[in-house]
Amino acid sequence: LGSSNELSIGPMAITSLLLGVSCQRYGFVDGSPEYIAIATNISMIVGIILLFVGVCKLGALTNLISQSVLTGFLTASALVIGVNQLKYILGIPIPRFQYTHETII
């Protein structure tokens, strides 16, 4: 398979989930103009930060994050996404709680 400059595989689903939760936390309804504006603003700020990191060649800082931390983040991301999708897979209503572990219990 090899590597690809055009394809970036990563935890994009968890990034989208975090952005959605951040927008909903302020009480905006999905798809409303305010929701779209806050999502766009957050995305622009993150883009500017990433541009700054790229221009300053600070990508090497990611080497300071241990493999176990990255593995833990990706595993937790998979669990959160999986638990959130259970209601659609099983077809039963599952109430929402503030924390994922409350949903499991």
Side-chain angles (χ1 to χ4, degrees):
L1 293 172
S3 62
S4 170
N5 291 333
E6 294 80 22
L7 180 63
S8 175
I9 299 174
M12 291 309 296
I14 196 69
T15 305
S16 300
L17 186 64
L18 289 171
L19 179 61
V21 168
S22 298
C23 294
Q24 289 174 352
R25 178 170 290 157
Y26 294 105
F28 299 125
V29 179
D30 289 346
S32 69
E34 295 86 7
Y35 184 93
I36 294 171
I38 192 97
T40 302
N41 288 337
I42 291 172
S43 299
M44 291 297 291
I45 291 169
V46 170
I48 291 168
I49 291 170
L50 289 176
L51 182 64
F52 174 77
V53 168
V55 168
C56 294
K57 307 266 188 209
L58 298 176
L61 291 176
T62 59
N63 293 332
L64 301 175
I65 302 172
S66 69
Q67 185 65 30
S68 59
V69 171
L70 292 174
T71 303
F73 174 75
L74 291 174
T75 303
S77 300
L79 287 174
V80 168
I81 292 168
V83 168
N84 284 328
Q85 296 302 313
L86 273 178
K87 61 184 170 189
Y88 304 113
I89 294 170
L90 300 176
I92 58 174
I94 298 175
R96 290 189 57 97
F97 295 97
Q98 184 174 3
Y99 300 106
T100 302
H101 72 277
E102 293 173 341
T103 305
I104 296 171
I105 295 173

